[in-house]
Amino acid sequence: MAIVQHLQQAVIESLGKLYGSTFTEKDFQVNQTKPEFEGDYTVVMFALVKQLKKSPDAIGSELGEHLTANYPQYFSAYNIIKGFLNLTVSDHYWQGVLLENYENPAYGRKPSNGQRVVIEYSSPNTNKPLHLGHLRNNFLGWSTAEILKANGYEIIKTCIANDRGIHICKSMVSWLEFANGATPQSTGTKGDHFVGDYYVMFGDVQKKQMAELMEKGMSKEEAEKEAPIMKAAQQMLVDWEAGKPDVMELWRRMNSWVYEGFDITYQRIGTDFDKVYYESETYILGKKLVEQGLQKGVFFQKEDGSVWIDLTADGLDEKIVQRRDGTSVYITQDIGLAVEKYEQYKYDQSIYVVADEQNYHFKVLKLICQKLGLPSADGIYHLSYGMVELPTGRMKTREGTVVDADDLVDEIVKVVEKHTEELGKVEGFTTDELKDLYDTIGLGALKFYLLRVDPKKRMIFNPEESIDIHGFTGPFVQYSYARIKSILRKEGVDVNYKLELSPLLKHEKDIVVMLEQYPGIIAEAAKEHNPSVIASFAFQLAQAFNSFYNVHSIANAENEEKKQLRLRLAVMTSNVLKSAMHLLGARVPERM
């Protein structure tokens, strides 16, 4: 239990003994004491004044006296300032936290809570390679899964491959039209990039055809539908759903190229899944559920044969769930997938990591599942996140302004290599060790930068800023960790040395206070589905240790007592930094 919880419990017990009434933590507030005042935690008691009919100062004095007299293991002193009770936590407590936990690499993790969470992320379309936006999605999904796991949840990481639909047919039509039988192997191109090039080519041809039709007097909307290459793609979609053999064979072949490319990228960035679903399989169950919904009156059919749901009573509008030609839309497969996931895993929560452009889609999905009476409905949770933009603006695939994920990772690693060599700190590393170091720093920089921002916020990606070793970055935390490990290689902890209780100096105490908060930080990040809470903590802890080390020597400490205390501080700080960075998907180097 953290000191804040001990404090809340002690205040409740003390108020009961002092005033003979029952209180809860809702009757008062506990905050960290402001830096300008003496103390560690402040109890705000203004809400108690009316019930106790005493001034805040009077309540504070009586409560402070009782807490320090009856809970000396927690509190050593108190003061009252304008109705606020500031309590000083005893050095005995802080030292106990350090001695009990400094060797534990799993510090902060909780035992199983018996709850199961399915988390879906990445979920790419099989018509183009992964880009910068996919990286934020992958890192956010993987990190959230690890944070929840650290809080005792059983986690199943999943991905849905959007492997069917009009966007896939566009790449297929384009390949048939322009490839002359070329393959990734014959051109020496990574499979997902190869297929993505034909998707971009489709867009270029469609634009030219639209321009010709618009010159003949057709509106833009009509020209978009009537462009010959678009009509060919629409026909291919109908043929695919009808199972036409040559279309199915081409579809399987082109998708296999893309999956080979995706696997290379996933391995490089450290993404993994326990289960991959395919839209080409889940949409069939979705279509059956649409039929059932029609029979139940949840859906209705329009004159043209398309199927809809009316959500106007829920503050939304009408939503199509099946086209007039019988082909399914995104929501159709998502209904099927929600059922399939629940039947397979009987989850308590199903998290979808999808950009905020789909907020409406997931409101509709949850409502439809609830109206169909599906057991999967209530557990649906949309982890919505803001898009990643470049300093030049938003990325668009068809306009060729997308930052490719593979290219970005390569570029970041190259920049790290250049900066590291310029600093001249590569002596003593083998070629393989250097390659691993550059990968560790580069991917750590990328992951930390994309996760340090609250997921709900849009963000601008700046590659140079992400590797700044002096900024709010992954390399800063990694360098701090490597610095601590260097200290510990020279000066090891004497595990047989018995520390006596002695007053902690300010910088020593600052670190222990932060370390004690780490389990609560993990819990907060899990509750909010927000890895930026971990990133901020790791950065602040690294800062605190650097401030401490700039003031206090470890090797040449004032005495052996202080040396052993500080070595234990260093060990625990390194463990927590490594743990926090792992929760962000980043590794830490032993040397840097």
Side-chain angles (χ1 to χ4, degrees):
M1 212 165 39
I3 188 61
V4 173
Q5 292 161 307
H6 285 303
L7 173 53
Q8 286 174 327
Q9 193 173 312
V11 169
I12 289 168
E13 290 171 4
S14 296
L15 288 172
K17 288 174 183 173
L18 286 168
Y19 307 113
S21 301
T22 303
F23 297 88
T24 71
E25 63 268 16
K26 292 177 183 174
D27 293 315
F28 55 90
Q29 269 184 297
V30 174
N31 302 319
Q32 277 194 273
T33 304
K34 291 180 179 178
E36 59 266 33
F37 301 118
E38 189 181 335
D40 298 309
Y41 287 92
T42 298
V43 183
V44 184
M45 298 157 301
F46 292 102
L48 297 167
V49 170
K50 188 176 179 182
Q51 184 179 349
L52 298 179
K53 297 180 173 55
K54 290 191 173 196
S55 72
D57 277 8
I59 300 169
S61 294
E62 291 168 359
L63 182 58
E65 199 63 44
H66 193 273
L67 288 168
T68 50
N70 292 278
Y71 301 90
Q73 71 274 35
Y74 299 134
F75 312 112
S76 58
Y78 75 93
N79 64 81
I80 311 288
I81 296 179
K82 295 183 179 177
F84 293 89
L85 169 60
N86 301 319
L87 289 158
T88 299
V89 178
S90 70
D91 284 347
H92 177 80
Y93 174 80
W94 296 126
Q95 197 159 307
V97 169
L98 180 64
L99 295 181
E100 284 169 34
N101 301 292
Y102 81 93
E103 288 183 293
N104 180 11
Y107 172 66
R109 291 178 171 270
K110 294 180 178 60
S112 171
N113 61 20
Q115 293 192 56
R116 180 178 288 169
V117 175
V118 175
I119 180 163
E120 175 190 302
Y121 56 96
S122 195
S123 308
N125 295 338
T126 59
N127 64 318
K128 55 190 176 184
L130 303 179
H131 56 64
L132 174 56
H134 286 114
L135 289 180
R136 189 179 197 191
N137 181 297
N138 273 269
F139 298 159
L140 178 58
W142 193 95
S143 178
T144 301
E146 287 300 310
I147 290 166
L148 288 168
K149 194 187 292 181
N151 266 276
Y153 293 89
E154 180 190 352
I155 300 298
I156 296 101
K157 302 174 185 174
T158 72
C159 172
I160 173 76
N162 297 305
D163 64 340
R164 61 165 292 283
I166 192 65
H167 51 292
I168 311 298
C169 292
K170 287 177 181 180
S171 295
M172 290 163 65
V173 164
S174 184
W175 184 85
L176 281 175
E177 187 75 25
F178 307 112
N180 295 317
T183 67
Q185 292 76 22
S186 71
T187 59
T189 311
K190 191 164 168 277
D192 50 337
H193 288 242
F194 179 83
V195 173
D197 289 341
Y198 287 97
Y199 179 72
V200 172
M201 202 179 292
F202 179 98
D204 294 339
V205 174
Q206 186 186 16
K207 274 184 190 172
K208 287 177 187 172
Q209 293 179 352
M210 283 172 61
E212 291 167 6
L213 292 172
M214 286 159 69
E215 277 179 20
K216 295 176 182 176
M218 203 176 275
S219 71
K220 186 179 179 182
E221 290 73 21
E222 288 175 309
E224 194 170 357
K225 292 176 186 173
E226 295 299 319
I229 198 166
M230 186 63 189
K231 292 185 87 169
Q234 291 286 3
Q235 183 57 47
M236 185 168 278
L237 180 60
V238 173
D239 291 343
W240 184 91
E241 291 215 7
K244 196 174 174 185
D246 58 333
V247 172
M248 300 304 290
E249 173 55 34
L250 175 61
W251 170 75
R252 279 189 283 268
R253 190 181 181 202
M254 291 184 73
N255 272 349
S256 72
W257 295 337
V258 175
Y259 295 138
E260 286 172 11
F262 283 169
D263 286 345
I264 292 168
T265 306
Y266 285 143
Q267 192 169 356
R268 181 83 196 276
I269 65 174
T271 285
D272 64 316
F273 308 103
D274 300 305
K275 172 74 177 175
V276 177
Y277 294 97
Y278 298 92
E279 187 186 350
S280 54
E281 297 166 1
T282 60
Y283 90 101
I284 298 166
L285 176 56
K287 288 179 82 167
K288 287 179 184 173
L289 289 162
V290 168
E291 286 174 27
Q292 291 172 20
L294 268 172
Q295 291 165 10
K296 290 180 180 177
V298 174
F299 303 131
F300 69 93
Q301 199 157 20
K302 290 194 175 181
E303 289 178 7
D304 65 358
S306 59
V307 182
W308 297 69
I309 185 168
D310 185 358
L311 297 172
T312 50
D314 299 283
L316 303 175
D317 52 13
E318 293 183 349
K319 172 73 177 174
I320 188 169
V321 294
Q322 190 169 288
R323 296 187 189 96
R324 64 184 181 182
D325 60 6
T327 57
S328 54
V329 291
Y330 269 128
I331 202 85
T332 321
Q333 69 93 6
D334 276 339
I335 299 165
L337 181 57
V339 170
E340 193 171 336
K341 280 182 185 174
Y342 188 80
E343 287 178 349
Q344 189 166 4
Y345 296 112
K346 299 295 187 290
Y347 58 70
D348 294 283
Q349 189 178 48
S350 177
I351 299 173
Y352 296 79
V353 183
V354 184
D356 57 13
E357 291 182 317
Q358 298 297 326
N359 286 352
Y360 173 81
H361 176 90
F362 283 97
K363 280 181 188 171
V364 171
L365 175 65
K366 187 159 187 166
L367 276 169
I368 288 175
C369 290
Q370 286 172 333
K371 290 177 189 296
L372 288 171
L374 302 176
S376 58
D378 291 340
I380 290 173
Y381 177 85
H382 177 204
L383 203 179
S384 173
Y385 65 90
M387 303 293 280
V388 185
E389 297 179 1
L390 301 168
T392 52
R394 192 172 165 186
M395 299 180 291
K396 292 181 183 175
T397 305
R398 282 181 292 182
E399 293 178 14
T401 60
V402 165
V403 176
D404 179 81
D406 296 317
D407 292 344
L408 178 60
V409 171
D410 287 342
E411 187 59 37
I412 287 279
V413 171
K414 278 180 189 170
V415 173
V416 166
E417 181 177 356
K418 178 173 174 285
H419 279 237
T420 308
E421 287 178 351
E422 283 173 358
L423 289 169
K425 294 187 175 181
V426 294
E427 303 89 359
F429 287 87
T430 66
T431 303
D432 286 345
E433 285 172 342
L434 278 177
K435 184 179 181 301
D436 187 57
L437 178 66
Y438 299 146
D439 262 13
T440 298
I441 299 171
L443 279 164
L446 195 54
K447 292 181 179 186
F448 193 97
Y449 195 88
L450 292 176
L451 292 173
R452 71 178 194 174
V453 177
D454 187 312
K456 293 183 282 295
K457 296 178 181 175
R458 295 201 164 207
M459 65 174 293
I460 294 173
F461 178 71
N462 183 330
E464 280 292 329
E465 190 179 301
S466 73
I467 62 162
D468 181 2
I469 205 162
H470 303 295
F472 177 20
T473 64
F476 174 80
V477 179
Q478 290 171 320
Y479 176 74
S480 301
Y481 174 84
R483 186 185 193 189
I484 296 170
K485 296 304 280 186
S486 173
I487 295 164
L488 293 172
R489 278 193 294 274
K490 294 169 189 167
E491 297 285 346
V493 171
D494 180 354
V495 292
N496 297 315
Y497 189 92
K498 188 168 171 32
L499 282 178
E500 299 297 327
L501 179 63
S502 60
L504 292 173
L505 300 174
K506 181 188 180 303
H507 289 290
E508 295 169 340
K509 182 175 174 179
D510 287 346
I511 297 172
V512 189
V513 169
M514 286 197 73
L515 293 170
E516 195 262 357
Q517 292 169 352
Y518 183 54
I521 292 292
I522 299 177
E524 182 187 345
K527 184 180 176 184
E528 296 179 6
H529 302 99
N530 183 0
S532 75
V533 172
I534 302 284
S536 294
F537 174 82
F539 174 67
Q540 288 163 14
L541 178 59
Q543 277 187 316
F545 188 88
N546 289 334
S547 296
F548 151 76
Y549 194 61
N550 289 337
V551 174
H552 300 296
S553 172
I554 294 179
N556 300 309
E558 302 89 302
N559 51 52
E560 190 63 21
E561 179 79 15
K562 280 296 183 190
K563 180 178 179 179
Q564 291 302 322
L565 173 82
R566 290 170 189 171
L567 282 169
R568 285 161 175 77
L569 272 178
V571 170
M572 190 168 177
T573 301
S574 68
N575 283 340
V576 169
L577 286 177
K578 185 174 185 175
S579 167
M581 290 295 273
H582 167 76
L583 294 178
L584 300 175
R587 293 186 295 153
V588 282
E590 297 295 307
R591 292 189 297 155
M592 193 167 160

